[in-house]
Amino acid sequence: MSPHVLILGGTTEARELAAALAARPGTRVTTSLAGRVARPGALPGEVRVGGFGGADGLAHWLREHRVDALVDATHPFAETITANAARAAAATGVTALVLRRPGWQAGPGDRWHPVASLAAAADLLPRLGSRVFLTTGRLGLAAFARLTDLHFVVRSVEAPEPPLPPQTRVLLARGPFTVAGESALLREHRVDVLVTKDSGGAATAAKLTAARQLALPVVVVRRPALPEGVVSVPDVAGVLDRLAAGPAPFRRAAGDLSPE
Ligand code: NAP
């Protein structure tokens, strides 16, 4: 029987992994989406949408659908599903990997202020500026709602969830973004401080370069820690290597493809 990989998705890397696995004859791949985005793009392989019902529900799904390997390729800040995946893998004995892109690193000229949470970012902001470019996503913005004296430009893919700070302008846009575009945006809105999660990846990194060039402070929300004991790899190639060297069904599938 073909080995079955379940990818917990919602990221570019998850999409790339699904494409790489779907292109391998003899591997079945299913991507799971939370269902937050109204119209997700087409994905190679099978797709399922919606929560599993916690770690127990995910464990049940893994057994019911005879999953051989689980790859958690969710966003670095999707903390709950990552914890559930680790628990479900431990409960079922299914091989599990976390595909986590590396975080961003500050370089010369950067004025970064790392913080542990959105609430900590909100506490710090009034000391750093008064015109904020807030790029932490559409959820959790209630943390900033009490900052009534600050002006916010909020950018997200879909409309942000209220409550928002009273002086907020919303820009709906999806990356990738360019340095020239980000610089123009920062100037146009007279931004004097940027807030971001440490999402990592190239698609949304241009704002950091633009902030450096304009000598703006950047509040960087650190990533939540991964659960104890999980195996994390930084890229799609790393996942494919681990699978080929890992569970028997994948070794067999890889063997089918190797030259005699
Ligand atoms: P979360 O807080 O970690 O998860 C909340 C619940 O949503 C989970 O307990 C699970 O429900 C369900 N869920 C999350 N990801 C799922 C998936 N891939 N497939 C099926 N169910 C899933 O997650 P979140 O931060 O809301 O993120 C939701 C999705 O958006 C993730 O897939 C993530 O990759 C993507 N995303 C998140 C961010 C971010 O900043 N957090 C940014 C970009 C993309 P049950 O307990 O019922 O299983």
Side-chain angles (χ1 to χ4, degrees):
M1 236 178 43
S2 301
H4 185 192
V5 183
L6 175 65
I7 302 171
L8 302 176
T11 58
T12 308
E13 291 82 356
R15 177 177 295 277
E16 289 170 2
L17 179 62
L21 288 171
R24 298 185 160 199
T27 301
R28 179 180 169 204
V29 55
T30 305
T31 299
S32 173
L33 300 173
R36 305 273 194 277
V37 176
R39 274 186 225 162
L43 276 161
E46 299 166 41
V47 178
R48 68 162 300 285
V49 181
F52 294 94
D56 292 345
L58 177 52
H60 179 75
W61 202 97
L62 295 175
R63 288 193 193 97
E64 189 182 9
H65 294 85
R66 298 178 182 280
V67 171
D68 297 289
L70 169 64
V71 182
D72 170 10
T74 56
H75 190 271
F77 283 81
E79 200 173 354
T80 306
I81 188 71
T82 290
N84 289 350
R87 283 177 47 206
T92 55
V94 167
T95 298
L97 295 170
V98 177
L99 168 53
R100 189 98 336 150
R101 64 179 90 131
W104 290 315
Q105 301 295 324
D110 280 325
R111 297 174 56 202
W112 287 13
H113 298 262
V115 294
S117 64
L118 294 177
D123 287 344
L124 185 60
L125 270 180
R127 276 177 270 155
L128 296 177
S130 60
R131 299 188 64 85
V132 185
F133 185 30
L134 187 54
T135 64
T136 52
R138 57 179 285 267
L139 300 177
L141 302 189
F144 300 92
R146 64 187 159 83
L147 298 176
T148 53
D149 292 341
L150 275 57
H151 294 260
F152 285 83
V153 176
V154 170
R155 183 173 67 197
S156 53
V157 175
E158 297 198 340
E161 191 165 286
L164 300 173
Q167 304 193 71
T168 295
R169 183 157 190 178
V170 174
L171 306 177
L172 298 183
R174 184 194 293 273
F177 302 103
T178 63
V179 175
E182 299 291 58
S183 295
L185 187 152
L186 293 172
R187 287 181 203 277
E188 180 191 341
H189 294 281
R190 292 180 290 120
V191 166
D192 56 15
V193 57
L194 165 68
V195 186
T196 181
K197 291 176 175 171
D198 179 15
S199 299
T204 57
K207 62 191 171 191
L208 300 170
T209 309
R212 182 189 313 133
Q213 290 173 352
L214 296 171
L216 299 183
V218 181
V219 181
V220 181
V221 182
R222 283 192 294 261
R223 295 174 169 200
L226 284 171
E228 284 282 304
V230 300
V231 178
S232 172
V233 288
D235 51 28
V236 169
V239 173
L240 297 176
D241 284 351
R242 287 264 182 175
L243 289 180
F250 291 97
R251 287 202 304 276
R252 276 200 300 279
D256 289 347
L257 297 174
S258 8
E260 289 300 314

